[in-house]
Amino acid sequence: GERLAGALAKCEKLRVLGLGGNPQLFENDPSSSAAFCEALGSLNNIEELHFNETGLVSGGGAGERLAGALAKCEKLRVLGLGGNPQLFENDPSSSAAFCEALGSLNNIEELHFNETGLVSGGGAGERLAGA
């Protein structure tokens, strides 16, 4: 996960990234997930991100880092995070940060975040409705 994050940070022209169906990619490891989420923020041209069933988790601040990174992906049209049940770990603050970041994605056309542990506590429901 952390090596992948380092390599991705150098792919400035990358438009589509599909890593879905690799449930042990991040092995439910918070530090690996956090490093990866931080690297996403450097992908200025990314239009599609597919991370379904990759073992992303929110521990160690990865949920908030994911939200921050997504907010920088101005060209993002498609986001797939489904099948990562520990992504938000039923954590209202991570869920709220993610929902707030969605509001900055002006080009988004498709969102897939089924089975991610997203919860409405901490104002997340209101932020999602406002996004």
Side-chain angles (χ1 to χ4, degrees), residues 36-102:
F36 178 75
C37 291
E38 199 149 314
L40 287 179
S42 66
L43 300 177
N44 298 326
N45 291 307
I46 201 74
E47 294 178 15
E48 294 185 30
L49 293 172
H50 302 278
F51 304 130
N52 300 330
E53 301 174 13
T54 55
L56 273 172
V57 294
S58 68
E64 286 85 353
R65 287 189 179 130
L66 175 61
L70 288 175
K72 296 176 185 176
C73 297
E74 296 175 6
K75 296 181 181 179
L76 192 64
R77 294 181 309 101
V78 178
L79 175 61
L81 297 170
N84 292 299
Q86 294 179 344
L87 179 58
F88 297 106
E89 294 183 317
N90 299 313
D91 174 22
S93 64
S94 287
S95 295
F98 174 73
C99 292
E100 191 166 324
L102 290 179

Side-chain angles (χ1 to χ4, degrees), residues 1-2 22-34 51 53-60 62 83-89 115-116:
E2 292 179 28
N22 293 293
Q24 295 177 345
L25 180 61
F26 299 105
E27 299 178 21
N28 297 315
D29 174 32
S31 65
S32 197
S33 294
F51 304 130
E53 301 174 13
T54 55
L56 273 172
V57 294
S58 68
N84 292 299
Q86 294 179 344
L87 179 58
F88 297 106
E89 294 183 317
E115 299 177 33
T116 57

